[in-house]
Amino acid sequence: MDVLTGLLDGPKARGAFLLKSVFDPPWSLRIEDRAPISLATMVRGNAWVMPDCGAPALIGPGDIAVLRGPDPYTIADAQDTPVQITVGPDQRCNTIVGEDVTDTMALGVRTWGDPIGPGSSVMLSGTYQAPGEIGRRLLGTLPTLLVRPAALDDTPLIPLLAEEIGRDEPGQELVLDRLLDLLFVSVLRSWLAEPDAGAPAWYRARSDPRVGPALRLLHENPARAWTVESLAREVGVSRAGLARRFAEVVGEPPMTYLATWRLALAADLLREPGTTVAAVAHQVGYSSAFALSSAFKRVRGVSPQEYRKRGASRIVLPPAAPSRTVVLGG
């Protein structure tokens, strides 16, 4: 797999929370669900997305906002509209006086809010309950708020999501999960391709004539018994030259990057039912289950068995990048 595919392969929705919300102005929602990643887009009307740490941004129909958790944020029709409802970690909704309106404001399948009228705002939202482990490296570099304006890409995904979100058919959860993934990846690709948008160094390195081929080899063959010398030989450069250039461009030595990548792959594979630690160790390049377990516990603080038992959803994300808002094309 190429570097981008490997990095984007991690954030896969599994039973994500998707909802169509309908509000009559004035309206304001305080989101405190601590989700790692949420997406929001407007079907009708405009909304201000206001992270606690980061500049607010106005989104309209077709614009996509990606919010990097777990910090809270507010979405409202205007910046000065007082908060009316708070959404908690369990997606329960309460008014400012503590009344639970989760069920009383339900309007049907995955639809919630006020009865729709001519002046109603309609928002679609999707929340990842837990990010994939491969995606941790990417998610840790995301800005607090990332907005892709509709003008950058007239995507058919939003009308399709709006159509599918209210359906209740066999396999519907899977359909919605994959639509959410496609929206997320489309925004990430736009961000990574944007000049001066703050894309991480290890992504920019893919275009380096020496480091790019080395990264592709590590991603495509993580189980191979790589050394800096064998990697340099494959790329056709000197060992010292590759080691120096890799550290300059990526920010860490080649074997350190490989070790991190192997453990990320291992963590993702451990989520799959029926896998054994020994089988995962073989797939990612460790000589034995013991070797993988030792490395895994040293870096992540828990053994592979403990990690699997606890569930990846309880593993904390790496520290986020400095709080900021990025509007693509802005």
Side-chain angles (χ1 to χ4, degrees):
M1 68 178 70
D2 61 58
V3 178
L4 182 57
T5 298
L7 292 169
L8 296 182
D9 192 45
K12 291 179 180 175
R14 303 187 186 196
F17 184 79
L18 289 105
L19 189 69
K20 177 169 72 174
S21 300
V22 182
F23 301 111
D24 288 330
W27 59 272
S28 179
L29 289 178
R30 173 77 171 165
I31 313 297
E32 298 179 351
D33 60 4
R34 299 192 60 78
I37 290 290
S38 295
L39 282 74
T41 184
M42 301 304 293
V43 175
R44 184 198 295 182
N46 298 322
W48 280 96
V49 183
M50 299 171 282
D52 282 14
C53 301
L58 181 66
I59 61 171
D63 300 337
I64 305 172
V66 175
L67 288 127
R68 201 266 194 207
D71 293 337
Y73 56 94
T74 302
I75 301 182
D77 68 318
Q79 293 190 65
D80 57 356
T81 300
V83 172
Q84 298 160 348
I85 293 173
T86 299
V87 181
D90 53 0
Q91 300 299 330
R92 302 299 297 183
C93 304
N94 291 275
T95 66
I96 56 172
V97 296
E99 178 188 0
D100 189 330
V101 293
T102 309
D103 299 325
T104 58
M105 293 184 67
L107 299 175
V109 178
R110 301 184 193 89
T111 306
W112 188 86
D114 302 315
I116 193 165
S120 298
S121 299
V122 180
M123 177 176 68
L124 306 180
S125 59
T127 299
Y128 284 81
Q129 305 297 325
E133 284 296 310
I134 298 176
R136 285 167 59 96
R137 193 178 185 95
L138 181 62
L139 297 178
T141 65
L142 278 173
T144 309
L145 172 60
L146 178 62
V147 176
R148 188 181 72 176
L152 288 184
D153 182 14
D154 186 18
T155 176
L157 291 173
I158 294 175
L160 183 56
L161 180 61
E163 179 182 343
E164 292 286 344
I165 204 167
R167 289 186 176 179
D168 189 17
E169 299 180 7
Q172 196 65 24
E173 183 178 284
L174 179 62
V175 171
L176 293 172
D177 281 351
R178 297 294 77 81
L179 284 174
L180 181 61
D181 287 341
L182 288 170
L183 274 175
F184 187 25
V185 169
S186 69
V187 178
L188 289 178
R189 289 200 305 186
S190 295
W191 170 60
L192 291 168
E194 185 89 350
D196 304 320
W202 39 259
Y203 172 76
R204 299 194 302 270
R206 82 195 197 289
S207 59
D208 186 272
R210 285 176 287 178
V211 178
L215 278 172
R216 283 192 292 273
L217 287 169
L218 296 180
H219 277 256
E220 290 169 0
N221 303 286
R224 183 169 167 179
W226 291 108
T227 63
V228 178
E229 184 175 355
S230 65
L231 188 61
R233 186 166 53 247
E234 291 282 348
V235 176
V237 298
S238 71
R239 178 188 182 282
L242 176 63
R244 181 175 58 252
R245 183 60 180 167
F246 199 103
E248 288 174 356
V249 176
V250 179
E252 58 187 346
M255 295 302 101
T256 302
Y257 182 92
L258 175 60
T260 303
W261 177 241
R262 282 173 169 170
L263 289 178
L265 285 171
D268 210 43
L269 290 169
L270 286 166
R271 300 175 68 196
E272 300 298 328
T275 58
T276 65
V277 177
V280 171
H282 177 74
Q283 284 183 258
V284 302
Y286 283 88
S287 59
S288 66
F290 177 78
L292 172 60
S293 296
S294 298
F296 201 95
K297 188 165 186 177
R298 183 177 65 253
V299 172
R300 298 182 180 269
V302 295
S303 69
Q305 293 89 343
E306 290 172 314
Y307 171 84
R308 175 182 282 165
K309 184 177 180 181
R310 293 183 185 184
S313 62
R314 294 179 59 185
I315 303 300
V316 179
L317 279 170
S323 299
R324 60 195 178 101
T325 295
V326 173
V327 179
L328 300 176

